[in-house]
Structure formats: C-alpha cells, structure tokens
Amino acid sequence: MQTFMLLHYLGWILLFIGILLVCLSASSASKDSASENTRIESKGIIFLGPIPIIWGYGKKGWMIAGALGIILLLIWIVFFI
C-alpha cells in the first residue's frame, strides 16, 4: 500500500513540475521574441483516438508526417484488435 501512495505522490509531483516547466518556457519564449524579431514554427502530430491530426509541415514534411501517422494508426489498430 505504501508503494502505491509513493507512486501516487510521485505522479502528482511530476505533473506539477511539468506544468511549471511549460509556464517557464512560455514566459522565456515571450521575453526572447519581444526583444528580437524571430520566427517561431511548430510542428506535430496529435492522435485523437485512432485519428492523426498533422500540422506545421511543408509539402514534403507533411507527406513524411502523414506516413508516420498512418503507420502509427495501423500499429494502434493491430494492438487493439
């Protein structure tokens, strides 16, 4: 039972550390972008259930990310059938 509680508290601690790091990096990025004229890009793949949503890639990068998304979708389907 004590191991369960330790892991429970460890999970909450890691969650709050992650939120803190995101807030600190966002404030740091806003300070940097205010002082310099920089270009910020974001790229990523988000899965909503088995459906991949892809953003921020050029034509070639979008094709690679799309192929990766489809491969991950097929792996997800194989594991859950």
Side-chain angles (χ1 to χ4, degrees):
M1 187 67 178
Q2 282 188 346
T3 304
F4 174 74
M5 292 303 292
L6 178 67
L7 291 176
H8 178 77
Y9 290 130
L10 180 63
W12 278 106
I13 290 169
L14 290 174
L15 178 71
F16 286 119
I17 289 172
I19 291 170
L20 180 67
L21 287 174
V22 168
C23 292
L24 289 174
S25 66
S27 67
S28 173
S30 67
K31 289 177 187 175
D32 292 341
S33 65
S35 62
E36 297 178 12
N37 192 8
T38 59
R39 182 176 165 189
I40 298 173
E41 294 182 8
S42 66
K43 301 176 183 178
I45 301 174
I46 293 179
F47 280 90
L48 289 177
I51 302 168
I53 298 174
I54 303 164
W55 80 90
Y57 292 91
K59 289 184 181 184
K60 187 176 181 181
W62 192 87
M63 294 297 286
I64 293 170
L68 178 65
I70 291 171
I71 290 169
L72 291 173
L73 170 67
L74 293 174
I75 291 171
W76 183 85
I77 290 171
V78 167
F79 280 121
F80 285 101
I81 288 184

